[in-house]
Amino acid sequence: MIYSDGRYDPYPSSPASDRKETSHPADDKLVMMFPSGSVPRDLPLVQKEINRYLSTKIGARIEIKLVERGVWAEKTGLMFASGEQIDLLFAAGWMRFAEEVAKGRFLPLDDWLNRYGKDIVQTLDPSILEAGKINGKVYGIETNKEFASSKGIVVRKDLADKYGIDLSSIRTLEDFGPVFQKIKENEPDVIPLQARADRSPLTFMMQYGLFDLLGDGPGVLERDGDGMKVVNMEETKAFHQYAQLMYEWNRAGYLNPDASTTKDTESEVVKAGKAFAYAESLKPGFDMQASRGTGMPMVTVELTRPYTTTADTTSAMFAITKNAKHPEKAMMFLNLLFKDKYLLNLLNWGIEGTHYVKKSDTVINYPPGVDARSVGYNLNQSWMFGNQLNSYLWANEDPHLWDEYRQFNENADKSKALGFVFNPDTVKAEIAACMLVSKEFAPALNTGEQDPSVILPMYIDRLKAAGADQIIQEKQRQLEEWLVSREHAAGDRR
């Protein structure tokens, strides 16, 4: 039963196999949509159990729609245009969250959060909830997880061991050159470095590795030093150096030939045995996460120190959209993901006894005869949902991983602009124009397809013509206003 204040009756913790009731046809239908590399074959089975459970909890059922990351923007754009139902949509700072809000696609959540989100409010630090605000209103509910990241390379451990590669000696991205050369020479059927136009070593090192992007559009803040000047990233020395490295590696044959156009998920290509390494944002335990995703042992090489920006605090959120049919039930569902361990782990890992077995109250493993490659449900995306610190850990993971997450958050370098949220309203047209320019030039630079000494000057000129300088100036203005307001707030507290 749902009470007027949003409270609900507790659900018995008996195994799914002991429960006979099913969802009721009159239950309100929610549509939940998020990106995923592939659709698990047992998704219908897991969704059925989620719906049976939700029927008793909040009188709702849910349809889970998974979309490939490479077509996310196109698919969601068409759904918004047609008015197709989307109650819960994955959102993130790195997926143009502020721009989606500016387009009116997301609904303000404050009222529903206050009425139905008490467990969300009790779990998340107020500063984290604050990061999901635009113009003083909450538009996204953050996952409770790590709020920092480092950038690095994920590699197959079997091939690193086979060729005696000393990964501990690698300090910079350039150090990987000889490693990729060895793989190319000895494993002709394996791509040394799998990359995509939007996910290459260049994109990871630039975007929140060496710079805070400060939201949508051109204009970044350099990570090191004390300066607060907003600059054009493409004009920096670091960008040119890494673009040149990508060009050299592409010419050497280290990258997949279709890097600038492929939509393939890197882990899926590694899983198929066709690639050795890929770039990624890292966190404690990511080697185990990557191993589950690829079905083979993976190891990580960290190339930057952990770094926290506003984008990291908003790197995984869910929004309730303007196309929602049942926004109140959507907020109730989000709240359950913060409180209800059974529901959270059902969404994360599937059905106990079928997709995993418990080793203890908090540790799981695959059932006998099942592994990461053969299991029928393996989203491996627990970082997307609710309170991740309530998620089960796998038997090969550090049992103290969630404590490591807390330390990781505490010890990470903090951006000088942490807490700043850029409002793009006054430069929306310029941002849209710059996006079109980036769509034309960035893939070739990010994957080393073309010589940066030739196309980078053209790219910069086109960005300026599209309004990059105006966006940078607006970011600088808002950043300075934010700094003043923060100083005033600190003075008031004193």
Side-chain angles (χ1 to χ4, degrees):
M1 177 179 179
I2 303 170
Y3 296 90
S4 60
D5 63 356
R7 291 182 295 116
Y8 39 76
D9 289 333
Y11 189 86
S13 58
S14 57
S17 59
D18 295 340
R19 299 192 292 268
K20 304 301 183 183
E21 63 269 31
T22 59
S23 59
H24 192 277
D27 290 338
D28 293 326
K29 176 188 171 183
L30 302 174
V31 175
M32 182 186 195
M33 193 167 174
F34 53 88
S36 182
S38 60
V39 178
R41 68 173 184 271
D42 283 355
L43 176 61
L45 181 66
V46 174
Q47 184 172 279
K48 182 179 179 180
E49 171 58 15
I50 291 175
N51 287 339
R52 187 210 53 74
Y53 188 69
L54 286 180
S55 181
T56 67
K57 296 291 283 186
I58 60 174
R61 56 193 170 93
I62 197 162
E63 179 183 354
I64 297 174
K65 293 187 176 182
L66 308 185
V67 179
E68 291 184 9
R69 295 182 182 93
V71 297
W72 175 263
E74 178 183 359
K75 176 68 174 177
T76 55
L78 289 173
M79 292 179 71
F80 278 116
S82 66
E84 187 173 345
Q85 181 180 359
I86 315 172
D87 295 273
L88 292 160
L89 186 71
F90 180 78
W94 51 273
M95 292 178 70
R96 303 186 183 279
F97 169 65
E99 185 177 321
E100 297 292 86
V101 173
K103 290 178 179 177
R105 290 180 171 178
F106 299 161
L107 299 178
L109 306 179
D110 303 77
D111 290 343
W112 294 316
L113 182 62
N114 290 333
R115 291 181 63 189
Y116 306 115
K118 59 184 177 65
D119 296 297
I120 296 171
V121 174
Q122 291 172 4
T123 301
L124 291 175
D125 186 280
S127 65
I128 301 300
L129 275 173
E130 190 73 19
K133 289 185 175 181
I134 302 288
N135 293 333
K137 295 183 178 180
V138 175
Y139 285 91
I141 303 299
E142 297 89 341
T143 302
N144 188 42
K145 61 183 189 62
E146 91 291 342
F147 294 115
S149 68
S150 56
K151 308 301 176 182
I153 303 293
V154 186
V155 307
R156 283 176 53 178
K157 185 177 185 299
D158 61 335
L159 294 183
D161 290 345
K162 180 178 179 179
Y163 297 110
I165 297 170
D166 181 14
L167 297 174
S168 65
S169 66
I170 293 178
R171 296 289 181 269
T172 68
L173 184 61
E174 291 86 345
D175 292 340
F176 268 101
V179 174
F180 295 150
Q181 180 62 30
K182 182 168 289 189
I183 297 299
K184 179 177 171 58
E185 291 173 350
N186 293 280
E187 299 285 340
D189 296 328
V190 176
I191 297 296
L193 176 64
Q194 182 71 20
R196 293 187 348 188
D198 59 336
R199 288 175 54 85
S200 79
L202 174 63
T203 65
F204 281 103
M205 294 300 289
M206 295 296 104
Q207 299 173 11
Y208 304 107
L210 302 180
F211 299 97
D212 184 336
L213 297 191
L214 302 176
D216 298 335
V220 301
L221 191 65
E222 293 189 67
R223 172 176 178 170
D224 295 328
D226 298 324
M228 297 298 288
K229 182 180 180 181
V230 181
V231 300
N232 188 335
M233 184 175 68
E234 283 77 10
E235 292 186 282
T236 64
K237 181 179 179 181
F239 186 92
H240 187 275
Q241 287 177 336
Y242 281 99
Q244 182 64 31
L245 181 64
M246 290 300 98
Y247 179 59
E248 293 171 1
W249 281 2
N250 191 305
R251 293 184 68 192
Y254 299 160
L255 280 74
N256 44 305
D258 62 349
S260 66
T261 58
T262 184
K263 305 298 183 184
D264 293 341
T265 302
E266 301 94 317
S267 60
E268 292 292 328
V269 180
V270 173
K271 185 176 183 178
K274 298 179 180 179
F276 168 69
Y278 58 94
E280 190 55 273
S281 291
L282 306 179
K283 58 187 176 182
F286 190 84
D287 49 352
M288 293 297 101
Q289 178 180 323
S291 298
R292 289 195 306 273
T294 61
M296 60 182 69
M298 305 294 289
V299 291
T300 58
V301 179
E302 194 176 62
L303 300 175
T304 66
R305 301 184 309 277
Y307 186 42
T308 298
T309 68
T310 303
D312 287 293
T313 63
T314 59
S315 62
M317 299 185 288
F318 271 90
I320 297 175
T321 84
K322 69 174 185 177
N323 290 17
K325 303 295 185 185
H326 307 288
E328 298 91 347
K329 293 286 182 74
M331 181 59 72
M332 292 176 191
F333 177 78
L334 288 180
N335 191 70
L336 282 176
L337 293 180
F338 277 79
K339 180 181 181 179
D340 192 311
K341 293 183 180 180
Y342 176 76
L343 177 64
L344 177 69
N345 285 287
L346 179 60
L347 176 60
N348 281 339
W349 311 120
I351 299 170
E352 181 180 356
T354 301
H355 304 115
Y356 69 86
V357 292
K358 277 193 169 184
K359 310 300 289 185
S360 72
D361 287 343
T362 59
V363 177
I364 61 175
N365 207 345
Y366 293 112
V370 176
D371 60 21
R373 294 192 179 196
S374 62
V375 70
Y377 188 83
N378 188 19
L379 280 181
N380 201 28
Q381 296 178 175
S382 60
W383 55 272
M384 275 192 180
F385 311 115
N387 184 2
Q388 190 186 13
L389 277 61
N390 281 338
S391 181
Y392 297 145
L393 290 168
W394 287 81
N396 61 352
E397 290 183 301
D398 185 340
H400 304 293
L401 180 60
W402 301 143
D403 292 329
E404 291 184 17
Y405 268 35
R406 295 183 182 95
Q407 294 175 10
F408 186 70
N409 290 339
E410 292 173 3
N411 297 329
D413 295 345
K414 306 298 189 293
S415 169
K416 296 166 287 187
L418 181 60
F420 170 72
V421 178
F422 174 56
N423 182 351
D425 281 354
T426 61
V427 285
K428 286 189 296 186
E430 289 82 358
I431 289 175
C434 287
M435 285 178 60
L436 291 175
V437 174
S438 293
K439 188 176 182 179
E440 179 181 352
F441 285 90
L445 285 166
N446 294 340
T447 61
E449 189 177 72
Q450 295 188 37
D451 187 347
S453 66
V454 175
I455 68 167
L456 184 53
M458 298 167 56
Y459 183 24
I460 293 171
D461 287 345
R462 290 279 299 278
L463 284 174
K464 289 180 179 294
D469 289 342
Q470 292 95 307
I471 300 168
I472 292 170
Q473 289 168 9
E474 179 61 15
K475 283 188 177 182
Q476 186 75 64
R477 184 189 68 79
Q478 292 187 28
L479 181 62
E480 290 171 359
E481 287 184 353
W482 175 79
L483 289 168
V484 171
S485 66
R486 190 175 64 165
E487 291 172 359
H488 287 167
D492 293 340
R493 287 193 295 269
R494 290 194 293 269

